[in-house]
């Protein structure tokens, strides 16, 4: 039978006279058994080692999950760029030595006539001019206490007192913040042009 199998593999027609038709039935039957055994082994391996075989469903889920994560990262980047950086500038900060713990020093409150000093950091690249606004947030019919415009783009502070930067001009003359103006909440804002980025500081005036 072994020799007949070799003859059948090499030339099936030459083996027929030696083995007869019964050999082909047995040979086909043995092949079928071997194939069934191989399928059973694969099935057992899949149960024992699920990750060892390709799973199209898991692949699709992985692709979908990757797509969702990428979309969330892109949406986060767009949100940060347009609603944070674009509105407030990249780390654009305004400070004042006259404000401590969100309270205005009495040296610059009524009845003083000294204008507030300010310093700003992180102005956007390409800034040509700055503007400073001082306004009351509560209680005053005329909320603006100071408007200073056309501050040169290479300036990063206002000294306060009676001095204002060269080339700048006061659109609204300075008024001293007072708690007697039916409120005591104030906000100073510096705006960078032409980007329109702003930075602000809020403070209260003691009674």
């Amino acid at each position: 039978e072994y020799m007949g199998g070799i003859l059948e593999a090499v030339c099936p027609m030459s083996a027929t006279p030696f083995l007869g038709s019964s050999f082909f039935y047995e040979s086909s039957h043995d092949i079928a058994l071997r194939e069934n055994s191989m399928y059973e082994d694969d099935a057992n391996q899949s149960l024992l080692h699920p990750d060892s075989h390709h799973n199209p469903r898991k692949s699709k889920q992985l692709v979908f999950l990757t797509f969702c994560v990428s979309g969330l990262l892109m949406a986060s980047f767009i949100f940060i760029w347009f609603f944070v950086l674009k509105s407030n500038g990249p780390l654009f900060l305004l400070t004042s030595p006259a404000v401590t713990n969100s309270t205005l020093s009495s040296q610059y409150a009524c009845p003083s006539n000294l204008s507030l000093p300010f310093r700003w950091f992180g102005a956007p690249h390409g800034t040509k001019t700055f503007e400073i606004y001082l306004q009351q947030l509560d209680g005053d019919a005329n909320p603006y206490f100071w408007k200073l415009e056309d501050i040169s783009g290479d300036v990063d502070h206002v000294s306060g007192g009676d001095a204002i930067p060269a080339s700048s001009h006061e659109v609204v003359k300075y008024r001293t913040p007072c708690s007697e103006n039916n409120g005591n909440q104030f906000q100073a804002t510096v705006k960078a042009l032409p980007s329109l980025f702003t930075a602000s500081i809020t403070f209260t005036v003691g009674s």
Side-chain angles (χ1 to χ4, degrees):
E1 292 182 1
Y2 179 76
M3 292 301 296
I6 295 176
L7 289 173
E8 181 188 10
V10 175
C11 184
M13 294 302 295
S14 66
T16 303
F18 297 97
L19 302 173
S21 60
S22 62
F23 173 80
F24 294 103
Y25 172 77
E26 293 174 356
S27 176
S28 300
H29 182 67
D30 292 340
I31 293 173
L33 289 176
R34 277 198 307 272
E35 291 179 348
N36 288 336
S37 178
M38 292 172 61
Y39 293 147
E40 290 178 358
D41 290 342
D42 288 343
N44 291 334
Q45 288 295 325
S46 297
L47 291 174
L48 293 174
H49 305 285
D51 297 333
S52 64
H53 292 267
H54 178 66
N55 191 328
R57 184 176 181 182
K58 284 188 175 181
S59 297
K60 290 180 180 180
Q61 291 176 345
L62 182 59
V63 171
F64 179 75
L65 180 61
T66 303
F67 178 79
C68 290
V69 171
S70 300
L72 288 174
L73 290 175
M74 182 62 69
S76 300
F77 174 79
I78 293 174
F79 175 83
I80 292 173
W81 175 254
F82 284 98
F83 295 96
V84 179
L85 295 181
K86 193 170 180 61
S87 60
N88 298 318
L91 302 178
F92 191 24
L93 302 175
L94 177 66
T95 64
S96 175
V99 176
T100 303
N101 296 326
S102 299
T103 301
L104 182 65
S105 169
S106 59
Q107 179 183 354
Y108 294 93
C110 288
S112 171
N113 291 321
L114 298 175
S115 62
L116 291 174
F118 294 104
R119 182 174 293 274
W120 50 91
F121 307 87
H125 179 72
T127 297
K128 295 182 178 180
T129 61
F130 295 100
E131 298 176 352
I132 290 180
Y133 306 96
L134 176 62
Q135 58 183 323
Q136 185 174 2
L137 300 179
D138 55 354
D140 197 288
N142 181 16
Y144 285 99
F145 277 58
W146 197 25
K147 282 187 179 182
L148 186 62
E149 298 183 353
D150 295 326
I151 303 171
S152 177
D154 58 1
V155 173
D156 63 359
H157 69 280
V158 173
S159 299
D162 295 327
I164 62 174
S167 79
S168 65
H169 67 277
E170 291 181 304
V171 178
V172 173
K173 292 292 184 180
Y174 184 83
R175 291 192 293 153
T176 304
C178 298
S179 60
E180 288 81 9
N181 297 107
N182 298 320
N184 65 349
Q185 299 289 324
F186 292 83
Q187 183 179 70
T189 301
V190 58
K191 179 187 292 185
L193 299 173
S195 65
L196 303 181
F197 288 168
T198 62
S200 299
I201 181 172
T202 304
F203 59 89
T204 59
V205 178
S207 56

